[in-house]
Amino acid sequence: MRALIAVAGQHVPPGRMRSRPEDSMAVPANYVRALHRAGGQEAVLFPEWIELDEARRRLARFDGVLLIGGGDVDPSYYGEEPHPECYGVNPEADAFEMALARAAVDLGKPMLAICRGIQVLNVAFGGSLDQHITGREGLIGHGIPGVAPQMHPVRLEPGSRVAKAMGVDEASGSSSHHQALARLGEGLEPVGWSSDGLVEALEHDEGWVVGVEWHPELTAAEDSAQQGLFDALVEQASEGF
């Protein structure tokens, strides 16, 4: 039996897909392919306003959770006004995914949070984001969302869950983010850094809950270290069988 992984889907507004005029739901296929290679089975959840109790009820039937990349988290959730470069803000999706993140920790469900996902995870536990880092002096290139990903090394804390999953203490990740983690949320510990000192990976101190700022799904088919994150998620999710 395959572990059933709840994947936070993305709402596609009406008219955005030429062949489908009504609104839709989408998940980039590379996430799903990586889950399948790991032996998992995806179940895509539609984003909507829910409270924490409802998020717990919905996740009770699943074995694990995957939060994927996407637009920026609404800065009002961490008490700031939006930077002019903020894009794709959807407060409903933010509230939905933050409820999932908190519910996953409460229920002890393993969770992998990728790019936007790590930012959602951080904000869900009281953290904040640096809203625009692109082109800032002293920082390496971290890619441009939707335009140009960029590979860069990430140093991992030896013995961390991320390092164990990937089987390495330094990884090369495909990066495409213009925001970064700032104040870290409660219970979250940094376990990965780019050469400019930005936090690129973190873990919650309860259960197998990890987040990475890069996009492992983009290179997982060729890079066993990146695939290892999905393998570890499914392995942890399968332990309850």
Tab-separated table of all heavy atoms in Angstrom, residues 117-155:
chain	number	residue	atom	x	y	z
A	117	GLY	N	6.656	26.731	0.353
A	117	GLY	CA	6.261	25.896	1.476
A	117	GLY	C	7.057	26.165	2.733
A	117	GLY	O	6.499	26.214	3.840
A	118	ILE	N	8.389	26.335	2.617
A	118	ILE	CA	9.190	26.612	3.807
A	118	ILE	C	8.837	27.979	4.375
A	118	ILE	O	8.865	28.193	5.588
A	118	ILE	CB	10.704	26.503	3.504
A	118	ILE	CG1	11.521	26.448	4.787
A	118	ILE	CG2	11.191	27.647	2.635
A	118	ILE	CD1	13.021	26.304	4.562
A	119	GLN	N	8.468	28.914	3.504
A	119	GLN	CA	8.076	30.240	3.955
A	119	GLN	C	6.729	30.186	4.672
A	119	GLN	O	6.530	30.831	5.708
A	119	GLN	CB	8.051	31.193	2.765
A	119	GLN	CG	9.420	31.379	2.141
A	119	GLN	CD	9.408	32.156	0.835
A	119	GLN	OE1	8.371	32.631	0.391
A	119	GLN	NE2	10.563	32.275	0.202
A	120	VAL	N	5.779	29.407	4.123
A	120	VAL	CA	4.495	29.190	4.797
A	120	VAL	C	4.725	28.564	6.172
A	120	VAL	O	4.137	28.997	7.182
A	120	VAL	CB	3.584	28.294	3.945
A	120	VAL	CG1	2.382	27.803	4.744
A	120	VAL	CG2	3.111	29.025	2.700
A	121	LEU	N	5.563	27.529	6.222
A	121	LEU	CA	5.862	26.857	7.482
A	121	LEU	C	6.418	27.835	8.500
A	121	LEU	O	6.003	27.850	9.674
A	121	LEU	CB	6.854	25.723	7.219
A	121	LEU	CG	7.393	24.959	8.427
A	121	LEU	CD1	6.286	24.239	9.163
A	121	LEU	CD2	8.473	23.961	7.976
A	122	ASN	N	7.351	28.667	8.080
A	122	ASN	CA	7.966	29.625	8.997
A	122	ASN	C	6.941	30.624	9.524
A	122	ASN	O	6.873	30.890	10.732
A	122	ASN	CB	9.109	30.353	8.287
A	122	ASN	CG	9.948	31.173	9.239
A	122	ASN	OD1	10.374	30.690	10.289
A	122	ASN	ND2	10.193	32.436	8.891
A	123	VAL	N	6.130	31.182	8.643
A	123	VAL	CA	5.133	32.171	9.060
A	123	VAL	C	4.068	31.520	9.932
A	123	VAL	O	3.572	32.128	10.896
A	123	VAL	CB	4.506	32.863	7.827
A	123	VAL	CG1	3.374	33.798	8.240
A	123	VAL	CG2	5.577	33.644	7.060
A	124	ALA	N	3.704	30.277	9.640
A	124	ALA	CA	2.684	29.582	10.428
A	124	ALA	C	3.070	29.475	11.893
A	124	ALA	O	2.193	29.446	12.773
A	124	ALA	CB	2.451	28.185	9.856
A	125	PHE	N	4.376	29.437	12.181
A	125	PHE	CA	4.825	29.315	13.563
A	125	PHE	C	5.400	30.624	14.109
A	125	PHE	O	6.197	30.619	15.043
A	125	PHE	CB	5.827	28.160	13.672
A	125	PHE	CG	5.163	26.821	13.599
A	125	PHE	CD1	5.004	26.174	12.386
A	125	PHE	CD2	4.630	26.226	14.736
A	125	PHE	CE1	4.361	24.951	12.301
A	125	PHE	CE2	3.981	25.009	14.665
A	125	PHE	CZ	3.838	24.371	13.444
A	126	GLY	N	4.961	31.732	13.506
A	126	GLY	CA	5.292	33.046	14.054
A	126	GLY	C	6.524	33.698	13.482
A	126	GLY	O	6.960	34.744	13.997
A	127	GLY	N	7.097	33.143	12.428
A	127	GLY	CA	8.276	33.732	11.814
A	127	GLY	C	7.929	34.805	10.803
A	127	GLY	O	6.756	35.113	10.571
A	128	SER	N	8.954	35.384	10.189
A	128	SER	CA	8.759	36.440	9.192
A	128	SER	C	9.660	36.190	8.000
A	128	SER	O	10.533	35.307	8.022
A	128	SER	CB	9.051	37.819	9.792
A	128	SER	OG	10.429	37.934	10.139
A	129	LEU	N	9.454	36.987	6.936
A	129	LEU	CA	10.210	36.840	5.698
A	129	LEU	C	10.888	38.149	5.321
A	129	LEU	O	10.374	39.236	5.616
A	129	LEU	CB	9.284	36.413	4.559
A	129	LEU	CG	8.473	35.141	4.775
A	129	LEU	CD1	7.541	34.899	3.588
A	129	LEU	CD2	9.377	33.941	4.999
A	130	ASP	N	12.042	38.027	4.687
A	130	ASP	CA	12.705	39.145	4.021
A	130	ASP	C	12.067	39.219	2.634
A	130	ASP	O	12.217	38.308	1.827
A	130	ASP	CB	14.201	38.877	3.935
A	130	ASP	CG	14.987	40.056	3.398
A	130	ASP	OD1	14.416	40.873	2.640
A	130	ASP	OD2	16.191	40.157	3.700
A	131	GLN	N	11.354	40.294	2.331
A	131	GLN	CA	10.437	40.305	1.197
A	131	GLN	C	11.075	40.422	-0.174
A	131	GLN	O	10.429	40.074	-1.172
A	131	GLN	CB	9.406	41.420	1.364
A	131	GLN	CG	8.441	41.192	2.508
A	131	GLN	CD	7.305	42.172	2.468
A	131	GLN	OE1	6.658	42.386	1.432
A	131	GLN	NE2	7.039	42.801	3.597
A	132	HIS	N	12.316	40.883	-0.274
A	132	HIS	CA	12.914	40.979	-1.613
A	132	HIS	C	14.423	41.030	-1.497
A	132	HIS	O	14.999	42.012	-1.042
A	132	HIS	CB	12.410	42.225	-2.342
A	132	HIS	CG	12.792	42.249	-3.795
A	132	HIS	ND1	12.390	41.290	-4.688
A	132	HIS	CD2	13.574	43.117	-4.505
A	132	HIS	CE1	12.866	41.560	-5.897
A	132	HIS	NE2	13.594	42.658	-5.803
A	133	ILE	N	15.078	39.936	-1.935
A	133	ILE	CA	16.534	39.847	-1.817
A	133	ILE	C	17.227	39.921	-3.166
A	133	ILE	O	18.454	40.052	-3.217
A	133	ILE	CB	16.947	38.535	-1.125
A	133	ILE	CG1	16.522	37.311	-1.967
A	133	ILE	CG2	16.370	38.468	0.285
A	133	ILE	CD1	17.117	36.011	-1.493
A	134	THR	N	16.491	39.849	-4.268
A	134	THR	CA	17.094	39.790	-5.601
A	134	THR	C	17.990	40.995	-5.864
A	134	THR	O	17.561	42.143	-5.705
A	134	THR	CB	16.004	39.719	-6.679
A	134	THR	OG1	15.166	38.593	-6.414
A	134	THR	CG2	16.617	39.579	-8.063
A	135	GLY	N	19.235	40.745	-6.252
A	135	GLY	CA	20.161	41.812	-6.590
A	135	GLY	C	20.789	42.513	-5.409
A	135	GLY	O	21.542	43.480	-5.602
A	136	ARG	N	20.517	42.072	-4.189
A	136	ARG	CA	21.067	42.752	-3.017
A	136	ARG	C	22.570	42.501	-2.913
A	136	ARG	O	23.046	41.382	-3.090
A	136	ARG	CB	20.364	42.262	-1.752
A	136	ARG	CG	20.810	43.005	-0.478
A	136	ARG	CD	20.044	42.531	0.723
A	136	ARG	NE	18.613	42.760	0.547
A	136	ARG	CZ	17.686	42.272	1.366
A	136	ARG	NH1	18.040	41.510	2.389
A	136	ARG	NH2	16.414	42.526	1.150
A	137	GLU	N	23.305	43.557	-2.627
A	137	GLU	CA	24.758	43.454	-2.497
A	137	GLU	C	25.126	42.479	-1.391
A	137	GLU	O	24.534	42.487	-0.307
A	137	GLU	CB	25.353	44.828	-2.196
A	137	GLU	CG	26.873	44.857	-2.171
A	137	GLU	CD	27.425	46.256	-1.960
A	137	GLU	OE1	26.629	47.214	-1.914
A	137	GLU	OE2	28.663	46.375	-1.848
A	138	GLY	N	26.085	41.623	-1.670
A	138	GLY	CA	26.565	40.673	-0.689
A	138	GLY	C	25.883	39.320	-0.747
A	138	GLY	O	26.308	38.398	-0.042
A	139	LEU	N	24.851	39.192	-1.572
A	139	LEU	CA	24.158	37.920	-1.703
A	139	LEU	C	24.479	37.281	-3.047
A	139	LEU	O	24.662	37.972	-4.045
A	139	LEU	CB	22.640	38.111	-1.586
A	139	LEU	CG	22.100	38.662	-0.267
A	139	LEU	CD1	20.577	38.671	-0.296
A	139	LEU	CD2	22.604	37.838	0.923
A	140	ILE	N	24.524	35.957	-3.054
A	140	ILE	CA	24.688	35.250	-4.307
A	140	ILE	C	23.360	35.241	-5.058
A	140	ILE	O	22.327	35.636	-4.518
A	140	ILE	CB	25.165	33.802	-4.068
A	140	ILE	CG1	24.086	33.004	-3.307
A	140	ILE	CG2	26.487	33.788	-3.326
A	140	ILE	CD1	24.392	31.531	-3.196
A	141	GLY	N	23.370	34.793	-6.298
A	141	GLY	CA	22.132	34.689	-7.049
A	141	GLY	C	21.274	33.541	-6.540
A	141	GLY	O	21.770	32.424	-6.361
A	142	HIS	N	20.004	33.829	-6.297
A	142	HIS	CA	19.060	32.811	-5.838
A	142	HIS	C	17.956	32.574	-6.867
A	142	HIS	O	16.906	32.027	-6.540
A	142	HIS	CB	18.457	33.213	-4.491
A	142	HIS	CG	19.421	33.109	-3.353
A	142	HIS	ND1	19.530	31.986	-2.560
A	142	HIS	CD2	20.351	33.983	-2.891
A	142	HIS	CE1	20.476	32.178	-1.651
A	142	HIS	NE2	20.987	33.375	-1.826
A	143	GLY	N	18.208	32.966	-8.100
A	143	GLY	CA	17.230	32.757	-9.153
A	143	GLY	C	16.133	33.804	-9.142
A	143	GLY	O	16.019	34.608	-8.209
A	144	ILE	N	15.315	33.788	-10.182
A	144	ILE	CA	14.180	34.702	-10.301
A	144	ILE	C	12.927	33.861	-10.490
A	144	ILE	O	12.851	33.074	-11.436
A	144	ILE	CB	14.350	35.671	-11.478
A	144	ILE	CG1	15.624	36.505	-11.293
A	144	ILE	CG2	13.138	36.586	-11.616
A	144	ILE	CD1	15.949	37.384	-12.483
A	145	PRO	N	11.945	33.976	-9.605
A	145	PRO	CA	10.752	33.136	-9.697
A	145	PRO	C	10.082	33.210	-11.066
A	145	PRO	O	9.844	34.295	-11.589
A	145	PRO	CB	9.838	33.691	-8.606
A	145	PRO	CG	10.771	34.312	-7.624
A	145	PRO	CD	11.892	34.877	-8.441
A	146	GLY	N	9.819	32.054	-11.640
A	146	GLY	CA	9.108	31.975	-12.905
A	146	GLY	C	9.914	32.351	-14.126
A	146	GLY	O	9.410	32.292	-15.247
A	147	VAL	N	11.181	32.715	-13.923
A	147	VAL	CA	11.998	33.187	-15.043
A	147	VAL	C	13.282	32.373	-15.171
A	147	VAL	O	13.535	31.756	-16.203
A	147	VAL	CB	12.335	34.690	-14.897
A	147	VAL	CG1	13.220	35.141	-16.056
A	147	VAL	CG2	11.063	35.511	-14.842
A	148	ALA	N	14.104	32.396	-14.134
A	148	ALA	CA	15.445	31.815	-14.260
A	148	ALA	C	15.885	31.181	-12.947
A	148	ALA	O	16.344	31.892	-12.042
A	148	ALA	CB	16.438	32.899	-14.679
A	149	PRO	N	15.758	29.844	-12.796
A	149	PRO	CA	16.336	29.184	-11.620
A	149	PRO	C	17.854	29.227	-11.683
A	149	PRO	O	18.442	29.369	-12.750
A	149	PRO	CB	15.809	27.755	-11.723
A	149	PRO	CG	15.518	27.558	-13.164
A	149	PRO	CD	15.100	28.901	-13.699
A	150	GLN	N	18.487	29.106	-10.541
A	150	GLN	CA	19.944	29.156	-10.477
A	150	GLN	C	20.431	28.102	-9.492
A	150	GLN	O	19.908	27.980	-8.388
A	150	GLN	CB	20.416	30.546	-10.036
A	150	GLN	CG	21.926	30.719	-10.063
A	150	GLN	CD	22.329	32.181	-9.992
A	150	GLN	OE1	21.508	33.075	-10.196
A	150	GLN	NE2	23.596	32.434	-9.697
A	151	MET	N	21.423	27.331	-9.902
A	151	MET	CA	22.011	26.329	-9.023
A	151	MET	C	23.013	26.987	-8.075
A	151	MET	O	23.802	27.835	-8.484
A	151	MET	CB	22.706	25.245	-9.837
A	151	MET	CG	21.814	24.494	-10.816
A	151	MET	SD	20.548	23.491	-10.017
A	151	MET	CE	21.554	22.227	-9.241
A	152	HIS	N	22.950	26.600	-6.816
A	152	HIS	CA	23.985	27.043	-5.874
A	152	HIS	C	24.109	26.022	-4.755
A	152	HIS	O	23.166	25.274	-4.459
A	152	HIS	CB	23.688	28.450	-5.322
A	152	HIS	CG	22.497	28.528	-4.411
A	152	HIS	ND1	22.490	28.033	-3.130
A	152	HIS	CD2	21.268	29.063	-4.603
A	152	HIS	CE1	21.324	28.274	-2.564
A	152	HIS	NE2	20.562	28.874	-3.440
A	153	PRO	N	25.285	25.943	-4.141
A	153	PRO	CA	25.486	24.959	-3.070
A	153	PRO	C	24.781	25.365	-1.781
A	153	PRO	O	24.578	26.553	-1.499
A	153	PRO	CB	27.009	24.950	-2.884
A	153	PRO	CG	27.462	26.286	-3.360
A	153	PRO	CD	26.516	26.687	-4.460
A	154	VAL	N	24.405	24.365	-1.004
A	154	VAL	CA	23.811	24.555	0.314
A	154	VAL	C	24.570	23.681	1.301
A	154	VAL	O	24.703	22.472	1.099
A	154	VAL	CB	22.319	24.179	0.325
A	154	VAL	CG1	21.735	24.361	1.731
A	154	VAL	CG2	21.531	25.005	-0.684
A	155	ARG	N	25.086	24.304	2.347
A	155	ARG	CA	25.779	23.561	3.410
A	155	ARG	C	24.740	23.082	4.419
A	155	ARG	O	23.932	23.862	4.917
A	155	ARG	CB	26.807	24.466	4.088
A	155	ARG	CG	27.514	23.817	5.287
A	155	ARG	CD	28.573	24.742	5.859
A	155	ARG	NE	28.011	26.020	6.292
A	155	ARG	CZ	27.505	26.235	7.499
A	155	ARG	NH1	27.444	25.247	8.395
A	155	ARG	NH2	27.031	27.429	7.825
